[in-house]
Amino acid sequence: MAPFPSNEEFRELREQPSDPQAEQELINSIEQVYFSTDSFDIVKYELEKLPPVLNLQELEEYRDKLKQQQAAVSKKVADLILEKQPAYVKELERVTSLQTGLQLAAVICTNGRRHLNIAKEGFTQASLGLLANQRKRQLLIGLLKSLRTIKTLQRTDVRLSEMLEEEDYPGAIQLCLECQKAASNIKIVKLTLLSEQLDVALSKICKNFDINHYTKVQQAYRLLGKTQTAMDQLHMHFTQAIHNTVFQVVLGYVELCSGNTDTKFQKLQYKDLCTHVTPDSYIPCLADLCKALWEVMLSYYRTMEWHEKLLRELLAGTPDLHNNIGTEETNFDRGYIKKKLEHGLTRIWQDVQLKVKTYLLGTDLSIFKYDDFIFVLDIISRLMQVGEEFCGSKSEVLQESIRKQSVNYFKNYHRTRLDELRMFLENETWELCPVKSNFSILQLHEFKFMEQSRSPSVSPSKQPASTSSKTVTLFEQYCSDGNPFEIQANHKDEETEDVLASNGYESDEQEKSAYQEYDSDSDVPEELKRDYVDEQTGDAPVKSVSRETLKSRKKSDYSLNKVNAPILTNTTLNVIRLVGKYMQMMNILKPIAFDVIHFMSQLFDYYLYAIYTFFGRNDSLESTGLGLSSSRLRTTLNRIQESLIDMVSNELEVILLAEERKEKVPSPHLSHLVVLTSGDTLYGLAERVVATESLVFLAEQFEFLQPHLDAVMPAVKKPFLQQFYSQTVSTASELRKPIYWIVAGKAIDYEQMLLLMANVKWDVKEIMSQHNIYVDALLKEFEQFNRRLNEVSKRVRIPLPVSNILWEHCIRLANRTIVEGYANVKKCSNEGRALMQLDFQQFLMKLEKLTDIRPIPDKEFVETYIKAYYLTENDMERWIKEHREYSTKQLTNLVNVCLGSHINKKARQKLLAAIDDIDRPKR
């Protein structure tokens, strides 16, 4: 575009006639690029737009168009400028006026500053200088007067002696009065210096109380009349001493562990400093912390003793320190001091609790070993005892802080122990762990605390013997020497336990000593187990029962030991030790009793579930209809499986249920070393006995501990404990039936007996005097079972309840097999029925020589079935309805075989319908 038009051109443009609409169209037709920044090169832009072949006419037309656009834009600009010109002129006048005003203000400020400088030089400096000099003069006059007074006091002694030699007594008295008056002028200065020294001396009492030193300090404060001030200052010093003591102790350990003395630790707050304590130095630091705080509290305790002793002297009328103090002032001070000291007890203990709480929560204790954590609890328990003796406090702050740490620690600890228990169970070969016949869990280290009677707040593991008297407090015991928080290293070395039997004999002292130091985490040597089993004296077992017929070699308790030692395994012993450790923690810290007991119940639950899974799980058991597993046992097993056993298998469930699975443990698997399929060993009977009876033994120990657990369980949680014992612990012995039923079901060849019975001809025409061969075959099976049972008893003592259950199961199965065999009979005569009775009586007569069980199980079951062969049609219908213990097949056989020959079809259909009605609910 062309240069901007001048004023004359503006006037010419405005004078030209114009069409606003046409001008606006011209402006709108201008290309947008012309409205860009100033750096835009218009000439270059237009030249680049020229076509390759130039046309003069088109160029002129384009030029004219550009000129018209320029003219339109120029006219538009000119109109806008002329429209705004009055406002411009008015604003320019305002700017000119403002400039003039500013110049005038500058002149005024310059003149003001000049006049201020003249006033400063002529008046202020001279006047203030005079005042300062006058003040110095007054101070110097006062100093001169004090110096003259001091000089007079120095000459008083010499002048007084001279006057006394001259016998000028009035002058000497006057001189003394003047001296006393002169001395009163500098009394304030001297007393201020004395108070500062006394305050320093008072602060030394907080860490190391010295009765002579404190007596002198109190005498000085009383002479000054500041006994109340002394008490206020004393409590402030004790508070400061607690803060400085804990900070210095923790700082020392932090710097020691960091390997340098960097000042960055000294600048940290106490709370932050506690987070830098390493796990290795945590316990020594805690012990030193408590020892240092004990010294502070002991000093306060002895301070109170000093004042109580003084009070007794005042009441007795012999106050050596108050000869010059009025009675009224003494009574007032005495009441103030007593209240102040009593209030200070709670205040100081609260400060101690807060400092120790901060230290406790500064480190995650979940990574600590069990013994170390118990040691921490032990120290805190001792500290809480100190607090109770110090001011009667229950130490709620400490209890809550240690409760948080304990619950957190115990959850992690318990989870690890459950995983270890699963590992032990999966590697357990269920060999007998030989313990003495008088074995008691109280002989184990973990239960030593139960033999000692202590206050609930007293530490269970390291209380010195000298505190056996309940009247002796820690402050009385350690008042003059010692510290209750001294770490007692090797405190466990003094304890020994001797629970293992040696080679089966308790009189062999050499062997006894060899295994005296038993470690629950180590496996029992195989030689020990073998010697325990094989080296026997041949003496009769304690519980063995002999009958007239000794040829059967029957026993009511299969055992070759002199005494019936408990049956348990290494894993059982581990669980018992764990229970002891759990109870130790619970005994120290009662607020977490419920959590601990809950975790203890999980140990028992998992052990019970493992025994059932390894040896008792058999889907065919419930089909027998014999009620081998009670509803209570089934409910308990289902509860354990749902609440404790991790049954998740696929990866998706593992991800979705990750949080829930933290509280569960995978189901254990039986070790491949345990063989349960060999008939020679009665299908692992020895292992089954050890496993099952170890569970029963564990249940007995829980029963023994019930009063102790009930005593510490919160009242609102006691229903849980009662349910645990009634629904779980009491079901341990009930596992015997399903576990030993599996052995009984395989020990006798019942299928072979059915085959032999099927070959018997029951429709004989004459009464037989000889029983059938299947009876002899069955008795041989029982004799072989008895021999195998004796062989197993050489490895493991078989308790009387176990042998009874085994015999009962075998006899019950045999009798039911006999009935099943009779139910398979197609034809039977009256003589055949008599033969059945003969066979069964022969079986019972021989069987009674092999076992002591009376009455014979299911004897009536067989006899009643045989007698049913003689029933009439009407009696049979009533009999069928009354005897629902028989199967449909067995009842149907009675109808078809016994009555089929002499009843019509309609009567038979009626009886079969009655049988079907009985069977329908079962389906």
Side-chain angles (χ1 to χ4, degrees):
M1 288 277 180
F4 196 75
S6 63
N7 292 335
E8 296 179 357
E9 291 175 338
F10 276 138
R11 284 192 296 272
E12 292 177 358
L13 290 171
R14 291 184 60 81
E15 292 173 356
Q16 294 178 0
S18 61
D19 183 0
Q21 184 175 359
E23 290 178 356
Q24 187 63 38
E25 291 178 355
L26 281 173
I27 292 173
N28 293 340
S29 66
I30 298 174
E31 294 182 44
Q32 189 68 28
V33 70
Y34 284 98
F35 298 99
S36 60
T37 59
D38 295 338
S39 62
F40 175 64
D41 191 344
I42 300 174
V43 176
K44 182 179 178 181
Y45 174 72
E46 291 295 340
L47 291 176
E48 288 177 348
K49 285 177 58 179
L50 293 177
V53 180
L54 300 177
N55 187 319
L56 181 60
Q57 185 178 355
E58 292 178 354
L59 288 175
E60 289 179 348
E61 291 176 354
Y62 185 66
R63 184 193 62 183
D64 293 340
K65 179 182 178 182
L66 292 176
K67 284 185 176 182
Q68 292 174 359
Q69 291 175 344
Q70 179 189 13
V73 170
S74 299
K75 189 172 185 303
K76 184 70 174 179
V77 171
D79 291 342
L80 293 173
I81 291 175
L82 291 175
E83 183 181 347
K84 301 293 182 180
Q85 186 174 8
Y88 166 74
V89 172
K90 184 177 180 180
E91 188 66 27
L92 186 62
E93 290 176 354
R94 289 179 60 194
V95 171
T96 304
S97 175
L98 179 62
Q99 184 178 5
T100 304
L102 291 174
Q103 289 174 350
L104 179 61
V107 172
I108 294 172
C109 289
T110 302
N111 292 334
R113 287 182 178 179
R114 185 174 65 255
H115 290 129
L116 284 174
N117 287 331
I118 294 172
K120 177 181 177 182
E121 293 174 357
F123 174 73
T124 306
Q125 288 182 349
S127 299
L128 293 179
L130 289 173
L131 292 175
N133 291 332
Q134 178 64 19
R135 182 173 180 273
K136 290 180 181 178
R137 180 174 178 275
Q138 293 294 334
L139 291 174
L140 291 173
I141 291 173
L143 177 61
L144 180 61
K145 186 176 181 181
S146 298
L147 291 174
R148 287 173 178 170
T149 302
I150 293 172
K151 183 177 181 181
T152 301
L153 292 175
Q154 289 177 338
R155 295 177 177 178
T156 298
D157 185 46
V158 177
R159 180 60 183 154
L160 188 60
S161 299
E162 293 175 353
M163 294 179 73
L164 291 174
E165 290 178 359
E166 295 173 359
E167 297 181 355
D168 186 3
Y169 298 110
I173 295 173
Q174 184 64 31
L175 181 62
C176 288
L177 293 174
E178 291 176 358
C179 180
Q180 184 177 1
K181 183 178 180 181
S184 64
N185 293 329
I186 60 172
K187 179 180 179 182
I188 296 176
V189 179
K190 288 188 175 182
L191 290 181
T192 301
L193 295 174
L194 180 59
S195 297
E196 292 177 358
Q197 293 297 323
L198 281 176
D199 193 52
V200 174
L202 186 64
S203 65
K204 296 178 182 179
I205 298 297
C206 298
K207 293 185 179 180
N208 186 15
F209 182 87
D210 181 83
I211 188 169
N212 295 326
H213 179 77
Y214 189 67
T215 301
K216 294 177 181 178
V217 172
Q218 283 295 323
Q219 285 178 333
Y221 272 110
R222 286 191 177 91
L223 291 174
L224 292 174
K226 294 185 176 182
T227 53
Q228 295 183 31
T229 303
M231 277 296 102
D232 295 337
Q233 289 296 107
L234 182 65
H235 283 83
M236 184 190 70
H237 287 314
F238 269 106
T239 301
Q240 189 66 27
I242 291 173
H243 174 77
N244 293 340
T245 297
V246 296
F247 188 86
Q248 291 301 323
V249 170
V250 177
L251 177 63
Y253 275 93
V254 170
E255 290 181 343
L256 180 65
C257 296
S258 65
N260 60 66
T261 56
D262 196 340
T263 56
K264 68 176 183 179
F265 293 123
Q266 299 176 0
K267 298 177 182 179
L268 292 176
Q269 294 291 327
Y270 173 70
K271 181 178 180 180
D272 299 326
L273 190 65
C274 291
T275 61
H276 289 79
V277 179
T278 62
D280 292 338
S281 60
Y282 185 86
I283 292 179
C285 182
L286 176 61
D288 285 348
L289 195 67
C290 292
K291 283 194 288 187
L293 291 172
W294 162 261
E295 295 296 339
V296 175
M297 288 186 286
L298 180 62
S299 294
Y300 194 88
Y301 175 82
R302 296 185 67 184
T303 301
M304 288 194 67
E305 274 193 332
W306 188 93
H307 284 279
E308 289 172 357
K309 180 181 178 182
L310 182 62
L311 177 61
R312 289 193 296 269
E313 291 178 354
L314 287 170
L315 295 176
T318 57
D320 297 335
L321 304 176
H322 291 267
N323 292 331
N324 299 323
I325 301 177
T327 305
E328 182 178 351
E329 182 182 356
T330 303
N331 292 336
F332 178 80
D333 289 344
R334 189 169 60 210
Y336 180 84
I337 291 172
K338 182 179 179 181
K339 290 182 179 179
K340 192 74 175 178
L341 287 172
E342 290 175 351
H343 175 72
L345 285 170
T346 305
R347 178 182 172 185
I348 288 175
W349 176 240
Q350 189 69 10
D351 288 344
V352 170
Q353 283 192 92
L354 292 174
K355 296 300 182 183
V356 177
K357 173 189 175 181
T358 303
Y359 181 81
L360 285 175
L361 300 181
T363 302
D364 182 9
L365 302 183
S366 61
I367 61 174
F368 278 34
K369 295 180 180 178
Y370 175 81
D371 290 338
D372 291 339
F373 187 75
I374 286 293
F375 199 88
V376 172
L377 291 185
D378 201 39
I379 293 176
I380 300 303
S381 177
R382 179 58 60 89
L383 185 61
M384 287 192 288
Q385 182 191 0
V386 170
E388 187 170 1
E389 295 180 1
F390 187 68
C391 62
S393 170
K394 297 301 181 183
S395 307
E396 291 84 0
V397 175
L398 277 180
Q399 287 201 23
E400 178 60 23
S401 59
I402 199 65
R403 190 193 69 81
K404 290 180 180 178
Q405 286 283 32
S406 297
V407 172
N408 181 42
Y409 174 84
F410 206 69
K411 284 183 178 179
N412 294 322
Y413 179 81
H414 176 64
R415 175 67 201 189
T416 305
R417 299 292 80 77
L418 278 179
D419 290 335
E420 286 183 358
L421 178 57
R422 178 171 68 91
M423 180 189 68
F424 288 148
L425 289 168
E426 291 182 345
N427 290 278
E428 179 64 68
T429 57
W430 304 104
E431 293 287 343
L432 191 67
C433 178
V435 295
K436 292 184 175 183
S437 60
N438 62 346
F439 169 75
S440 168
I441 60 174
L442 298 179
Q443 298 167 355
L444 300 175
H445 291 311
E446 291 78 4
F447 292 91
K448 290 294 183 183
F449 72 94
M450 293 179 62
E451 297 180 350
Q452 304 167 4
S453 59
R454 300 178 188 273
S455 170
S457 64
V458 179
S459 164
S461 59
K462 293 182 282 295
Q463 184 180 20
S466 59
T467 60
S468 57
S469 174
K470 294 183 180 180
T471 59
V472 178
T473 66
L474 293 175
F475 286 96
E476 293 170 345
Q477 178 184 350
Y478 296 102
C479 183
S480 58
D481 188 26
N483 194 301
F485 297 99
E486 290 289 346
I487 295 181
Q488 298 181 4
N490 303 321
H491 65 276
K492 290 186 178 181
D493 294 344
E494 300 175 359
E495 302 176 359
T496 58
E497 64 182 26
D498 185 12
V499 298
L500 290 186
S502 306
N503 298 332
Y505 302 99
E506 298 184 14
S507 60
D508 191 338
E509 293 298 327
Q510 182 178 359
E511 289 294 333
K512 183 190 301 183
S513 62
Y515 298 98
Q516 192 168 11
E517 297 298 326
Y518 176 74
D519 183 0
S520 63
D521 293 334
S522 62
D523 293 330
V524 178
E526 290 297 326
E527 301 80 36
L528 180 59
K529 299 174 184 175
R530 199 176 304 119
D531 292 343
Y532 174 71
V533 172
D534 295 338
E535 294 186 14
Q536 308 297 342
T537 62
D539 293 342
V542 171
K543 291 187 178 181
S544 64
V545 180
S546 62
R547 293 173 60 84
E548 294 297 329
T549 307
L550 297 177
K551 296 180 181 179
S552 63
R553 299 172 59 195
K554 62 183 178 301
K555 300 174 183 178
S556 60
D557 188 357
Y558 291 81
S559 171
L560 296 178
N561 298 314
K562 292 180 181 180
V563 289
N564 293 334
I567 297 177
L568 66 159
T569 67
N570 286 333
T571 303
T572 318
L573 208 54
N574 276 327
V575 173
I576 293 173
R577 290 183 185 274
L578 269 182
V579 170
K581 290 181 178 181
Y582 284 23
M583 290 187 66
Q584 279 184 21
M585 185 177 295
M586 179 176 60
N587 192 65
I588 297 175
L589 199 62
K590 304 240 174 350
I592 66 167
F594 171 71
D595 301 278
V596 176
I597 293 175
H598 174 64
F599 291 146
M600 284 173 57
S601 70
Q602 288 187 345
L603 294 176
F604 186 85
D605 287 347
Y606 195 68
Y607 194 88
L608 183 146
Y609 185 83
I611 301 301
Y612 169 75
T613 304
F614 293 167
F615 303 105
R617 176 174 285 174
N618 192 327
D619 296 335
S620 63
L621 289 180
E622 298 305 322
S623 63
T624 61
L626 299 179
L628 296 174
S629 298
S630 65
S631 60
R632 183 175 61 170
L633 177 59
R634 290 194 299 271
T635 301
T636 297
L637 292 171
N638 290 335
R639 176 189 61 78
I640 295 173
Q641 182 168 309
E642 292 174 2
S643 63
L644 187 60
I645 306 303
D646 182 7
M647 306 299 290
V648 176
S649 56
N650 63 67
E651 295 182 0
L652 179 60
E653 289 181 337
V654 169
I655 298 173
L656 295 177
L657 304 176
E659 190 65 28
E660 181 181 342
R661 293 177 66 241
K662 289 182 180 179
E663 306 297 330
K664 296 187 176 183
V665 191
S667 180
H669 302 285
L670 183 64
S671 171
H672 67 279
L673 299 176
V674 180
V675 180
L676 304 179
T677 57
S678 174
D680 294 336
T681 62
L682 279 180
Y683 305 94
L685 178 60
E687 289 80 3
R688 294 178 191 271
V689 169
V690 171
T692 309
E693 300 313 304
S694 69
L695 173 64
V696 174
F697 177 78
L698 185 61
E700 292 172 353
Q701 306 318 303
F702 269 83
E703 294 284 359
F704 169 73
L705 295 173
Q706 185 177 6
H708 302 276
L709 301 181
D710 189 70
V712 297
M713 181 66 115
V716 294
K717 299 293 185 180
K718 285 190 177 182
F720 167 82
L721 185 64
Q722 295 168 356
Q723 184 177 11
F724 169 65
Y725 273 92
S726 62
Q727 298 295 327
T728 305
V729 176
S730 60
T731 61
S733 59
E734 295 181 14
L735 271 183
R736 284 170 168 165
K737 282 190 174 182
I739 290 176
Y740 297 135
W741 177 270
I742 297 174
V743 175
K746 298 178 180 179
I748 307 294
D749 192 350
Y750 305 102
E751 294 296 328
Q752 179 64 27
M753 187 175 69
L754 285 176
L755 293 176
L756 292 175
M757 292 180 71
N759 295 328
V760 176
K761 186 177 181 181
W762 299 103
D763 56 347
V764 293
K765 302 301 182 181
E766 57 183 17
I767 296 178
M768 306 296 291
S769 60
Q770 181 64 32
H771 60 272
N772 286 301
I773 60 173
Y774 75 86
V775 176
D776 296 328
L778 182 58
L779 290 171
K780 286 183 180 179
E781 288 284 333
F782 273 99
E783 289 174 356
Q784 184 181 11
F785 169 72
N786 192 33
R787 288 194 297 271
R788 289 177 176 175
L789 207 56
N790 278 287
E791 289 298 323
V792 172
S793 70
K794 294 179 181 179
R795 289 180 55 197
V796 178
R797 177 177 65 84
I798 301 179
L800 177 61
V802 176
S803 63
N804 286 345
I805 289 176
L806 283 168
W807 276 101
E808 179 183 345
H809 283 341
C810 289
I811 295 171
R812 192 182 299 277
L813 283 170
N815 285 335
R816 291 180 176 268
T817 304
I818 290 174
V819 172
E820 188 65 20
Y822 293 161
N824 292 331
V825 175
K826 303 300 182 181
K827 295 180 180 180
C828 182
S829 62
N830 290 335
E831 291 79 7
R833 297 167 194 168
L835 182 58
M836 289 180 182
Q837 289 181 325
L838 175 64
D839 290 346
F840 187 62
Q841 293 302 320
Q842 178 68 18
F843 171 68
L844 291 178
M845 181 182 67
K846 297 292 186 180
L847 184 63
E848 289 177 349
K849 296 180 180 180
L850 294 174
T851 179
D852 296 326
I853 294 181
R854 300 293 184 274
I856 297 297
D858 278 354
K859 175 183 176 183
E860 294 79 8
F861 183 78
V862 182
E863 292 177 340
T864 303
Y865 189 80
I866 295 174
K867 292 176 182 178
Y869 276 78
Y870 299 99
L871 296 176
T872 62
E873 176 185 345
N874 295 332
D875 293 336
M876 179 62 76
E877 184 177 0
R878 185 177 66 256
W879 187 91
I880 288 173
K881 294 179 180 179
E882 293 176 352
H883 293 79
R884 301 193 175 193
E885 67 270 22
Y886 297 100
S887 67
T888 302
K889 173 187 174 183
Q890 293 165 353
L891 295 174
T892 303
N893 178 266
L894 284 176
V895 173
N896 291 332
V897 176
C898 301
L899 302 178
S901 59
H902 53 273
I903 62 173
N904 56 36
K905 184 176 181 181
K906 183 178 180 181
R908 182 187 300 111
Q909 291 298 330
K910 180 181 179 183
L911 292 175
L912 293 176
I915 295 173
D916 189 61
D917 291 341
I918 295 174
D919 184 56
R920 190 174 293 113
K922 298 180 181 178
R923 298 197 298 266

